[in-house]
Amino acid sequence: MADQGMSEHLRQMLASLRAAVRPWLPKRLRGGGAVVPVVRLSGAIGLSTPLRPGLTLASVARPLEKAFTTRRASAVALLINSPGGSPVQSHLIHLRIRALAAEHKVPVIAFAEDVAASGGYMLACAAEEIICDKSTIIGSIGVIGGSFGFSGLLEKVGIERRLYTSGERKAMLDPFLPEKPEDVERLKAVQQEIHEGFIDLVKGSRGARLKGPEKTLFSGEYWTGSTAIGLGLADGIGDLRTTLRARFGDDVITPLVSPARSWFGRVQPGVSSLERLLHGGNFAEDVISALETRAHWARYGL
């Protein structure tokens, strides 16, 4: 009986101590408030250079995992500011977000900042709800490809093009060769296939909320946030802080979960700047990889 009284007295003392100390602790250590981890998805998707980091599944996988496994997380917020890029990386990141949300049973809210277009909008569609600013650029549900033709220029300046391939279509759409109608037709068929997959994803995410003719919604056009809400592409106007405080209380905790970055600001997926330096990071390889990726996008890009 005496032990019980002592235990109760000790609990009361600890409770009083916590109450006294709590106001002096940083907000994130006080406890009691809802927790909504924030993951920033910013920049072009797929393209990453030493001085200009982009979004890839490798660069965001760890922050996403950390956000969804945060203790007491009431939701996960995505801060999106991206004009799009690689359709593959856009889709892979989308799928990872949906898989983590289902696995941990945590809802996702997307907050579109300056732009959530094309592949950036595909990321936003990984959330159950999309919040934007009135002037946010949203949409661009389409596929684009572009290049230049230099065959006439080479002839004019007396440069001979020498290209050796194995495979009849390996040099398809080479900018230094004359354009062939069958190559353009093949490219458009690939773009159409990617576009149809994009449309199916948006329909699956937005469902009955979509309004207006499909010819308009999926034309590749983009709109301001205010118009996008009317079309069912977004759900409301607002910003992250105001929206989360209104829903989860003024004491909501919103820790920013960021990927590790190198000295030059490049995202390092799971590798610190020191580790990369010690293991011989190759600057030339990074640049070559970035140029190859950009050339690929010229053919198939969101």
Side-chain angles (χ1 to χ4, degrees):
M1 213 51 174
D3 288 344
Q4 262 187 343
M6 179 66 76
S7 297
E8 181 61 30
H9 180 65
L10 184 59
R11 277 196 295 271
Q12 290 179 359
M13 285 183 60
L14 289 174
S16 299
L17 181 61
R18 280 197 299 269
V21 172
R22 190 171 182 273
W24 302 95
L25 292 174
K27 187 177 179 180
R28 62 188 177 83
L29 298 178
R30 292 176 195 170
V35 179
V36 181
V38 179
V39 180
R40 179 175 288 279
L41 303 175
S42 181
I45 302 170
L47 176 64
S48 189
T49 69
L51 300 180
R52 190 175 181 182
L55 290 172
T56 63
L57 178 61
S59 70
V60 302
R62 181 171 290 187
L64 287 172
E65 185 77 31
K66 186 175 179 181
F68 280 97
T69 55
T70 298
R71 288 183 57 200
R72 299 188 299 111
S74 299
V76 167
L78 306 176
L79 265 181
I80 297 173
N81 197 346
S82 174
S86 163
V88 174
Q89 290 299 320
S90 302
H91 192 224
L92 290 176
I93 296 171
H94 172 99
L95 291 177
R96 181 62 58 88
I97 294 168
R98 292 313 313 150
L100 289 169
E103 179 183 346
H104 299 284
K105 297 178 173 59
V106 176
V108 183
I109 308 171
F111 293 88
E113 296 188 316
D114 299 83
V115 58
S118 203
Y121 185 69
M122 186 181 288
L123 301 184
C125 284
E128 287 84 2
E129 187 176 5
I130 301 174
I131 306 297
C132 60
D133 185 80
K134 290 180 180 180
S135 301
T136 300
I137 297 300
I138 290 183
S140 190
I141 302 169
V143 183
I144 187 172
S147 185
F148 296 91
F150 300 106
S151 57
L153 176 63
L154 294 183
E155 185 178 348
K156 186 174 292 187
V157 297
I159 298 176
E160 181 184 351
R161 169 74 162 157
R162 295 175 180 175
L163 184 66
Y164 311 100
T165 66
S166 176
E168 184 182 345
R169 308 295 289 275
K170 188 64 179 177
M172 184 179 74
L173 298 174
D174 184 289
F176 297 101
L177 296 175
E179 185 180 72
K180 297 179 181 178
E182 59 269 26
D183 290 349
V184 176
E185 185 178 346
R186 173 59 182 152
L187 171 62
K188 288 187 174 181
V190 172
Q191 289 180 323
Q192 183 63 31
E193 188 175 343
I194 297 171
H195 191 197
E196 288 171 0
F198 194 176
I199 291 170
D200 289 342
L201 182 145
V202 174
K203 286 181 177 179
S205 172
R206 303 299 298 171
R209 288 175 287 184
L210 292 173
K211 304 168 188 176
E214 291 189 7
K215 187 176 181 181
T216 300
L217 291 173
F218 306 129
S219 65
E221 187 178 354
Y222 54 83
W223 299 271
T224 62
S226 299
T227 304
I229 291 172
L231 293 170
L233 297 173
D235 300 292
I237 299 295
D239 64 277
L240 184 141
R241 183 176 184 274
T242 303
T243 302
L244 295 184
R245 283 166 70 93
R247 296 190 185 184
F248 300 102
D250 291 345
D251 57 349
V252 63
I253 302 167
T254 55
L256 180 63
V257 186
S258 301
R261 293 182 181 271
S262 71
W263 293 336
F264 296 104
R266 185 183 181 190
V267 173
Q268 299 291 318
V271 182
S272 69
S273 304
L274 181 59
E275 288 173 329
R276 182 161 176 80
L277 179 64
L278 293 176
H279 289 85
N282 192 323
F283 183 88
E285 281 184 7
D286 292 338
V287 173
I288 292 170
S289 175
L291 291 174
E292 288 175 343
T293 303
R294 185 180 290 275
H296 176 75
W297 283 9
R299 299 184 182 184
Y300 323 110
L302 288 180

